[in-house]
Amino acid sequence: MADTEMGRRVSLDGIGGRGGGRGGGRGDGGEKDSKFFDENVDASPANATTTTTPPHGLLARLRHLEARMDRKLGIESDAIERKRAEDRQYVPWHEQLSMALLWASGTMNTSCFATGFLGRELGLDLRQTLLVTVLVSVLGGAVVGAAATFGAATGLRQMSVSRFSFGWWPSKVIAVLNCVQQLGWAAVSCITGGLALTAVSDGRVSLVLGIVILAVAAWFISVVGLNAILVYERYAWIIFFVIFMIMFGQTGRYADNTTPATATGTDLAGGVLSLIAVVYGSSASWATVASDYYVHYHADVSRVKVFLMTTFGIAIPTSIGMVAGCVVSSALNLRPDWDAAYQKGLGYVIQESLYPRGFAKFLLTLLVLSGINTNVIGIYSAALSFQQISRPFSLVPRFLWMLLSLVCILALALGGREQLNQYLQSFLSLLGYWCTSYIVIILEEHYVFRKANFDAYDLDGWNTPSRLPLGIGASVAFGLGVIAWCMGMSQTWFIGPLARLIGDRGGDVANEFTFVVTSLSYLPARYLELKHFGK
């Protein structure tokens, strides 16, 4: 996105049917794999709760254990199964607020605050940065809102919904990408939160320890299951909303509205496009998990309500966090002491800009917890995606996949902790690229080929390859989208030929180009697939 010199300058590393096959089992069409199960034992979650015969296979024992934990703790031993409409209960209106509050808790955090500093480093003035941040956050939130409407209507998790566009085999690639995305995003959150913890402790708590604390705390909440996540996230946002309001009250007076943009002409255009890519990626990246958190709602819940509450549940909190970062970053021009603290890291500039010092430390300590909110969503959805990569994977209990997710997050966060800013910029932009192709394919399939009618979906066949599309059209469009990313991306490590045409640093047009290419290519490719294969 930006050149290497700028990447070094933006020192953010200072903060921061029940299945369609035989038996309807989890992710494998109900079939048992003899490699993993004793032939005489049905290790499905339902049977594991009632059988008096002790399971003998390794995974059968683990599934039996998971079923017992489900009875006592509600950890969702059948998490990826389709939730039928008749099995879902009406959700009271006050609990429906979770459609927005879930995302508020997951987005109003130190990572968004850190992203708010990028406009200044890309050469934009405060007004330009604020305009891009707010408008693009709404756009990214709308992408997630559109994806969220499939959850209650189908009773399927987001990666399962993907099978009706991408087919059985290509959807596995999407599931792998989603695992990488969720774990990578959680790693970024661990780094920013861990650095804030280091700052508030005046260096006595190491970054490594801070990362471990945040990752383990989020993992513990995620293991319990969706009900615990919704309760936690329904209220966690309040703390961070209050903190950011305090930050606005104490730092807003120093916002620099007079210093003009340092970039001009094509360089300014390139900076705006690159900032759009980062902000869009930050919000739109939730589209690949959105339905995961709506399968418990009744099937006839208003899809307009789902869309609006999700869109603004992401856009408003994201804007609050990023705008706070924009304001503080602009004040560095007027406050040399803040700028000096910024050189040490973003956590230190937060501590320096708030007062009194003891109160600043207290707020910074609370901000550390914001990383947990993001990680809870990432770990939960990553485990669901792991289970949908292959049939054998679906037989592995969800709590084991969550343990693997924890290990991966720790590895990514500890390995990337020294170069957070470059990691953050590149990673968020890449998330936006593939999410753009994904949502275009999902929506064109729904509105063009299925006429926005959920009765056109063979929902009971969600887990049977023969009842799903082959995914040829989606594969072609997605593949062409990858080419579009490479042509239009502007990263510290690669600038595409289209991006190089915009300013000295390049301007990121990958999302825009990907949208056009994917939109135009999926329609004829999917039409030909239907014509020749009939599904």
Side-chain angles (χ1 to χ4, degrees):
M1 174 176 304
D3 58 16
T4 305
E5 180 180 356
M6 189 204 74
R8 291 195 299 266
R9 174 63 182 84
V10 190
S11 180
L12 301 189
D13 49 351
I15 185 147
R18 207 176 287 273
R22 183 160 52 88
R26 302 171 39 182
D28 62 345
E31 301 175 76
K32 293 179 292 184
D33 192 321
S34 61
K35 295 180 181 179
F36 296 95
F37 289 93
D38 186 288
E39 292 182 355
N40 298 318
V41 177
D42 181 358
S44 67
N47 189 63
T49 61
T50 59
T51 182
T52 57
T53 303
H56 300 293
L58 175 59
L59 288 187
R61 291 182 178 181
L62 291 174
R63 290 278 292 276
H64 181 75
L65 173 62
E66 185 182 42
R68 292 178 60 188
M69 294 171 65
D70 191 10
R71 293 200 309 271
K72 295 181 179 180
L73 301 175
I75 66 169
E76 293 185 287
S77 60
D78 58 348
I80 65 172
E81 287 189 24
R82 181 187 168 216
K83 307 300 184 289
R84 289 183 174 275
E86 59 268 24
D87 296 332
R88 288 178 262 169
Q89 304 297 321
Y90 176 76
V91 178
W93 70 267
H94 62 281
E95 293 186 12
Q96 290 185 20
L97 293 176
S98 293
M99 294 180 189
L101 302 183
L102 166 73
W103 307 109
S105 295
T107 58
M108 197 165 13
N109 52 39
T110 51
S111 295
C112 285
F113 181 79
T115 305
F117 278 68
L118 295 180
R120 178 175 182 265
E121 302 305 330
L122 289 166
L124 281 64
D125 62 29
L126 179 59
R127 294 180 182 178
Q128 293 165 341
T129 304
L130 293 178
L131 184 62
V132 170
T133 296
V134 174
L135 294 181
V136 178
S137 293
V138 175
L139 175 62
V143 169
V144 185
T149 60
F150 289 82
T154 64
L156 294 171
R157 309 291 183 158
Q158 194 67 56
M159 289 298 100
S160 298
V161 171
S162 304
R163 295 177 178 180
F164 291 98
S165 301
F166 288 87
W168 180 259
W169 293 106
S171 66
K172 297 180 184 298
V173 177
I174 300 300
V176 171
L177 287 172
N178 195 43
C179 290
V180 174
Q181 170 175 298
Q182 299 311 317
L183 298 181
W185 181 247
V188 170
S189 181
C190 280
I191 295 172
T192 54
L195 289 164
L197 186 59
T198 299
V200 77
S201 66
D202 294 324
R204 287 188 292 270
V205 175
S206 69
L207 175 55
V208 171
L209 179 58
I211 289 173
V212 171
I213 291 173
L214 290 172
V216 172
W219 172 82
F220 179 79
I221 297 172
S222 301
V223 164
V224 181
L226 182 58
N227 290 334
I229 292 173
L230 292 175
V231 172
Y232 171 77
E233 302 279 20
R234 192 180 301 148
Y235 302 104
W237 67 276
I238 299 174
I239 297 174
F240 309 106
F241 176 77
V242 172
I243 292 175
F244 278 113
M245 292 302 102
I246 294 173
M247 291 179 66
F248 280 122
Q250 294 197 12
T251 64
R253 72 188 70 179
Y254 301 108
D256 184 5
N257 293 314
T258 59
T259 301
T262 58
T264 58
T266 56
D267 287 339
L268 177 60
V272 170
L273 288 169
S274 295
L275 182 61
I276 288 174
V278 174
V279 177
Y280 171 80
S282 176
S283 297
S285 60
W286 297 111
T288 57
V289 303
S291 292
D292 294 354
Y293 304 93
Y294 294 82
V295 294
H296 64 293
Y297 291 106
H298 202 272
D300 62 359
V301 66
S302 170
R303 288 192 282 278
V304 174
K305 179 196 295 184
V306 171
F307 173 79
L308 292 177
M309 293 187 70
T310 303
T311 297
F312 292 102
I314 289 177
I316 295 175
T318 298
S319 296
I320 290 174
M322 288 187 182
V323 167
C326 296
V327 169
V328 175
S329 67
S330 72
L332 301 184
N333 299 327
L334 306 177
R335 295 294 302 264
D337 53 334
W338 291 11
D339 190 52
Y342 175 59
Q343 304 307 318
K344 297 170 60 179
L346 220 58
Y348 293 96
V349 78
I350 291 176
Q351 192 168 269
E352 185 69 29
S353 61
L354 301 179
Y355 56 87
R357 186 171 182 81
F359 182 59
K361 283 182 172 291
F362 172 70
L363 293 183
L364 196 53
T365 302
L366 293 177
L367 272 176
V368 171
L369 301 177
S370 67
I372 296 176
N373 303 338
T374 302
N375 292 0
V376 164
I377 298 175
I379 294 175
Y380 179 80
S381 289
L384 296 177
S385 294
F386 274 123
Q387 288 186 308
Q388 299 189 67
I389 292 175
S390 72
R391 285 179 167 174
F393 282 15
S394 70
L395 306 178
V396 178
R398 189 178 67 89
F399 70 87
L400 290 184
W401 286 121
M402 301 191 77
L403 184 60
L404 176 63
S405 298
L406 174 63
V407 173
C408 292
I409 289 170
L410 290 174
L412 287 170
L414 295 177
R417 67 187 187 277
E418 300 299 335
Q419 296 180 345
L420 173 62
N421 177 62
Q422 184 173 337
Y423 178 39
L424 178 68
Q425 291 187 55
S426 301
F427 190 74
L428 292 186
S429 296
L430 288 173
L431 297 188
Y433 301 156
W434 88 269
C435 287
T436 297
S437 289
Y438 174 84
I439 197 64
V440 166
I441 291 171
I442 293 294
L443 293 181
E444 285 195 343
E445 176 69 25
H446 181 65
Y447 286 101
V448 177
F449 295 100
R450 300 186 189 266
K451 310 302 180 184
N453 181 13
F454 283 102
D455 291 334
Y457 293 81
D458 182 9
L459 295 178
D460 287 335
W462 73 275
N463 211 22
T464 305
S466 61
R467 299 168 68 175
L468 294 169
L470 296 178
I472 297 174
S475 298
V476 169
F478 196 84
L480 292 175
V482 173
I483 298 174
W485 309 345
C486 298
M487 293 284 289
M489 72 188 332
S490 177
Q491 302 289 333
T492 55
W493 43 273
F494 178 77
I495 300 178
L498 290 179
R500 281 198 295 267
L501 300 175
I502 308 173
D504 294 335
R505 295 178 173 178
D508 197 308
V509 292
N511 284 307
E512 294 86 346
F513 192 41
T514 297
F515 175 82
V516 174
V517 170
T518 307
S519 299
L520 296 179
S521 61
Y522 183 69
L523 295 176
R526 178 64 171 135
Y527 171 78
L528 291 175
E529 179 184 358
L530 285 169
K531 181 178 180 180
H532 290 285
F533 299 100
K535 63 176 183 177

